[in-house]
Amino acid sequence: MNGQVKQDSQGLPHTLNDLEAQSKEQQILEKYDRESVTRQLKSGWSKRLISLIAVFYSLFHLYITFYPMPTLLQRAIHVAVGCALIFLLYPAGRNSRRDRIAWYEWLWATAAVAGAIYLIYQYQAIMTIRGGIPNSEDIVLAMVTVLVVLEAARRITGWVLVIFALLFLVYPFISSMGFMPDRLLTRPYDIGDIFGQLYLKTEGIYSSATGASVTFIFLFILFGAFLGKSGMGQLFNDLALAIAGDKQGGPAKVAVISSGFMGSINGAAVANVVSTGAFTIPLMKKIGYHKNFAGAVEASASVGGQILPPIMGASAFIMAETTGVSYGTIALAALFPAILYYLGVIAQVHFRAGKRNLKGIPRHQLPQLKEVMKARGHMLLPIVALICFLVQSVPIGYAAAYTIGITVLISQLRKETRMGIKDIWAALEDGARQALPVMAACAVVGIVIGVVNLTSFGTVMTSSIVTLGAGSLLLTLILTMLASMVLGMGLPSIPAYIITATMAAPALATFDVPVLVAHMFVFYFGIFANITPPVALAAFAGAGIAGGDPMKTGWQSLRLALAGFIVPFMFVYNPNMLMIDVTDAAVTARSFPLPDLWVIVSVVVTATVGVLGLSAAVEGYFKQTFAAWQRLILAIGSLMLIVPEHMTDLAGMIIVGAMVWLNCRHRATS
């Protein structure tokens, strides 16, 4: 990247190259992102051993992609080695020493591995002789494994998810007691029933969530690590600067574009805010955006990456495993809603820049598109290859593994991106480390899934939501939205989605909402809880980088992400927005049938105009400032376009057109 955009007029650094800036950003990351609080070991045998284990972990997943083991065993090894790495990398508490590994951490790591070794040794006996019925040794190892998973999850995700899992773990022990409400009463369960479900079957810790982590998610996180080592983040920043840097409000548009692409690949909203925001937020402030708004732009763009195809972070792979819908179908369905979301964010950024006359960065200070593509443009080829593999219905694991190999080969074409042995080793190690939070979340949520499958709790939750909804789809959607957001505020996006998909999404099925639509609905709101006060971690991280007020930045993020809170209601009432036939028969067949072309065009046009109109109403500006009454009428007209009815679409178009015409006419006469 050209050096001109890296410093302001006072020569202050705007990149991670400055050690002082790195320290500040690491402190912010550790404050809002539990996953970043790792040990900082000095060189020595323990550091080399961790590196070796991490590389083995990555190679193991590449191996079983082509030579799979029995499902239970490969999931058990995935959890065991992952938990062992967590104990060696993550201190027991924030005040624990981080320059060495305490002796008891080796005991935790040994206990983690023991659970998998026991299953490997006893696998045939468990499956054939005992038929999955646990004996006393099984129960002891099950209890040890559950304790290991809970402690690993506590260290890497915090207490909220662990407490949630513990509440579910206690439920079957007390669910037959007289003090329980009638609706929650079940038959008695003994300790063998409960821990056998969690440890010996693929319905507990080793559930489909862990299965998705093993076969899909890990490989795509590894793919992201290889892209990172090849300089993909630099490419996205440079491309965004070359395309939008000199436009009205250019740096904010750069933040939206680059953070959206990076968020789609890594799925880590808070980490993305800190890494990308360290560059984009100072640029936004420099041209005149308020610090709260700058932090909010970065937060809303980073969070939205998880709904942006082709990779969509990690939750989409869980959705594919949970619903039985192919990942390619999910990615296609997510495309237009994601475009609408980012269109809403960019539109608000653009209108605010126009209202405050904020210019872009001078063209001579920006990288040239031709030079960017010449230096690093070839690194877009692995993503193109991935899309081609998915469209051709290549198995997802194969597609990810092939694309990793292609990334290494393509990187050799230019000196700037060339990956040597050290880079490949580092990518294998980084990929393993980055996959640990997902592994821990999926494993501990398996406790919830195991209890729901063992008892009738899932049915009870579904019926309770339907009862509270009083037969109204809209009220049920609102209740489901609130449940998803409350869970999302305290949990990472993956466990939040899994839990709401298990307990809340089935409630929508009672209204004949297609399964893919229901899961997309809860998926959206679990993700956007990251920018919803009072626990808006991504927004708070953005505020930390920008030096703004955390709560004000959170509310500003919510405002920027307004389209993301409306779009899910739109595709529930009008599934054609997902651009596929979402009937159960179609998705089971893993096909891509399109609804009528005119219907798609109508939905695209009205929804796009509605989102743009709503963005103008929120900012109070189009070509000129809107009067208060004009903003209100424009907002009403825009919302009418979002309602999937011909009459409301027609009325909305007239209202929005009239308000825009008045605004342009006022500018022409002023």
Side-chain angles (χ1 to χ4, degrees):
M1 185 190 308
N2 287 4
Q4 291 95 325
V5 297
K6 294 182 180 180
Q7 295 185 344
D8 63 15
S9 58
Q10 285 78 39
L12 297 177
H14 286 322
T15 72
L16 294 177
N17 294 330
D18 184 87
L19 293 178
E20 184 178 345
Q22 279 186 328
S23 176
K24 176 187 175 184
E25 289 145 18
Q26 183 63 27
Q27 291 173 7
I28 293 170
L29 187 59
E30 292 182 5
K31 181 177 180 181
Y32 298 110
D33 185 18
R34 180 88 183 193
E35 301 167 10
S36 64
V37 186
T38 59
R39 287 191 175 91
Q40 306 298 321
L41 298 175
K42 300 176 181 177
S43 59
W45 68 269
S46 58
K47 184 175 182 179
R48 289 193 292 270
L49 178 61
I50 290 173
S51 176
L52 187 63
I53 295 172
V55 171
F56 161 78
Y57 198 41
S58 293
L59 293 176
F60 167 76
H61 286 83
L62 289 170
Y63 175 82
I64 62 174
T65 299
F66 300 99
Y67 304 99
M69 301 168 61
T71 300
L72 180 65
L73 296 186
Q74 64 183 29
R75 294 179 185 180
I77 294 172
H78 173 74
V79 171
V81 178
C83 287
L85 277 172
I86 288 174
F87 294 128
L88 298 179
L89 285 169
Y90 289 81
R94 288 187 179 272
N95 295 325
S96 301
R97 290 190 62 173
R98 297 169 62 180
D99 59 347
R100 64 181 179 85
I101 302 174
W103 62 269
Y104 54 83
E105 305 291 21
W106 297 103
L107 295 182
W108 275 110
T110 302
V113 175
I117 292 175
Y118 180 81
L119 283 179
I120 295 170
Y121 179 70
Q122 291 288 324
Y123 182 73
Q124 290 300 325
I126 293 170
M127 294 294 109
T128 58
I129 300 174
R130 300 203 296 274
I133 299 174
N135 60 23
S136 56
E137 289 83 4
D138 296 340
I139 294 174
V140 170
L141 266 296
M143 294 174 70
V144 170
T145 301
V146 169
L147 182 61
V148 162
V149 167
L150 289 170
E151 172 60 11
R154 181 194 68 80
R155 294 191 183 196
I156 204 165
T157 67
W159 276 104
V160 175
L161 183 56
V162 172
I163 292 173
F164 195 83
L166 284 171
L167 292 175
F168 273 81
L169 184 59
V170 170
Y171 172 65
F173 286 104
I174 63 174
S175 60
S176 61
M177 297 181 180
F179 63 82
M180 294 293 290
D182 292 343
R183 184 182 285 266
L184 295 177
L185 283 173
T186 68
R187 70 171 178 85
Y189 297 98
D190 62 31
I191 193 169
D193 294 329
I194 298 167
F195 284 97
Q197 173 85 355
L198 298 180
Y199 179 63
L200 300 180
K201 301 178 181 178
T202 55
E203 297 176 349
I205 291 173
Y206 310 125
S207 67
S208 59
T210 299
S213 180
V214 174
T215 55
F216 306 147
I217 299 173
F218 188 100
L219 292 175
F220 277 93
I221 291 175
L222 186 60
F223 171 50
F226 272 83
L227 287 179
K229 287 299 177 183
S230 67
M232 179 59 75
Q234 186 75 52
L235 171 61
F236 284 148
N237 276 343
D238 287 356
L239 274 178
L241 281 167
I243 293 170
D246 63 333
K247 304 298 188 294
Q248 180 174 287
K253 294 173 182 175
V254 169
V256 175
I257 296 170
S258 60
S259 299
F261 281 121
M262 285 304 298
S264 177
I265 291 173
N266 60 35
V270 176
N272 199 34
V273 168
V274 174
S275 60
T276 310
F279 169 69
T280 59
I281 288 175
L283 286 179
M284 284 187 271
K285 291 170 63 179
K286 181 180 177 181
I287 69 163
Y289 282 110
H290 190 275
K291 55 188 177 182
N292 293 336
F293 188 83
V297 169
E298 183 59 50
S300 57
S302 296
V303 167
Q306 293 182 69
I307 62 170
L308 182 66
I311 297 178
M312 299 174 65
S315 299
F317 301 108
I318 302 284
M319 188 185 299
E321 188 77 6
T322 304
T323 62
V325 180
S326 71
Y327 173 75
T329 303
I330 292 172
L332 180 63
L335 180 60
F336 183 57
I339 291 173
L340 279 182
Y341 172 75
Y342 277 101
L343 182 64
V345 177
I346 287 181
Q348 288 192 54
V349 162
H350 178 78
F351 293 141
R352 175 159 297 205
K355 182 167 61 176
R356 302 191 177 184
N357 195 30
L358 305 181
K359 305 299 182 182
I361 302 170
R363 169 52 63 182
H364 69 274
Q365 295 184 13
L366 296 172
Q368 299 299 311
L369 181 60
K370 180 179 178 180
E371 295 301 318
V372 171
M373 293 301 294
K374 182 179 178 181
R376 300 179 185 272
H378 58 287
M379 293 313 304
L380 294 174
L381 292 176
I383 297 178
V384 174
L386 174 63
I387 295 172
C388 292
F389 287 141
L390 294 176
V391 169
Q392 293 298 318
S393 298
V394 174
I396 297 176
Y398 285 14
Y402 293 155
T403 310
I404 290 170
I406 291 172
T407 301
V408 175
L409 292 176
I410 294 295
S411 72
Q412 306 303 314
L413 296 178
R414 291 286 188 275
K415 181 180 179 181
E416 294 88 344
T417 61
R418 189 168 298 144
M419 297 181 67
I421 299 299
K422 288 184 178 180
D423 294 318
I424 294 172
W425 182 277
L428 290 168
E429 183 177 351
D430 288 349
R433 287 174 176 245
Q434 293 168 22
L436 296 178
V438 177
M439 179 283 302
C442 289
V444 79
V445 167
I447 296 173
V448 177
I449 294 174
V451 171
V452 170
N453 290 334
L454 182 66
T455 66
S456 58
F457 191 85
T459 305
V460 170
M461 284 297 299
T462 298
S463 62
S464 298
I465 292 174
V466 172
T467 301
L468 288 172
S472 166
L473 175 58
L474 178 60
L475 186 54
T476 303
L477 288 172
I478 292 173
L479 291 172
T480 305
M481 175 190 73
L482 293 175
S484 301
M485 291 182 66
V486 169
L487 285 169
M489 287 180 189
L491 302 177
S493 58
I494 289 176
Y497 163 67
I498 295 171
I499 293 169
T500 51
T502 302
M503 294 183 292
L508 302 181
T510 62
F511 293 91
D512 296 324
V513 175
V515 61
L516 177 57
V517 177
H519 281 255
M520 287 283 286
F521 185 86
V522 299
F523 178 46
Y524 260 68
F525 287 112
I527 288 171
F528 288 122
N530 278 291
I531 51 174
T532 305
V535 190
L537 295 183
F540 293 171
I545 294 291
D549 180 271
M551 288 303 294
K552 290 180 179 178
T553 302
W555 289 115
Q556 187 64 69
S557 300
L558 193 64
R559 182 176 174 180
L560 282 164
L562 185 60
F565 290 85
I566 296 174
V567 165
F569 288 90
M570 294 170 65
F571 60 63
V572 168
Y573 283 101
N574 191 354
N576 290 313
M577 177 178 288
L578 302 183
M579 296 193 295
I580 61 170
D581 185 343
V582 293
T583 61
D584 289 343
V587 295
T588 302
R590 298 174 183 266
S591 56
F592 293 81
L594 292 173
D596 181 78
L597 181 60
W598 168 248
V599 174
I600 292 180
V601 172
S602 174
V603 169
V604 168
V605 171
T606 57
T608 300
V609 175
V611 168
L612 290 174
L614 193 60
S615 299
V618 167
E619 287 299 326
Y621 184 90
F622 183 69
K623 294 295 185 181
Q624 290 286 322
T625 301
F626 284 106
W629 66 271
Q630 291 175 324
R631 292 177 68 177
L632 178 61
I633 294 176
L634 179 60
I636 293 172
S638 301
L639 291 172
M640 291 176 72
L641 283 169
I642 291 171
V643 178
E645 298 289 343
H646 294 304
M647 292 304 296
T648 55
D649 284 347
L650 179 60
M653 279 290 192
I654 293 172
I655 293 173
V656 171
M659 291 299 101
V660 170
W661 178 78
L662 283 175
N663 188 266
C664 293
R665 182 172 178 271
H666 180 265
R667 182 186 185 187
T669 57
S670 60

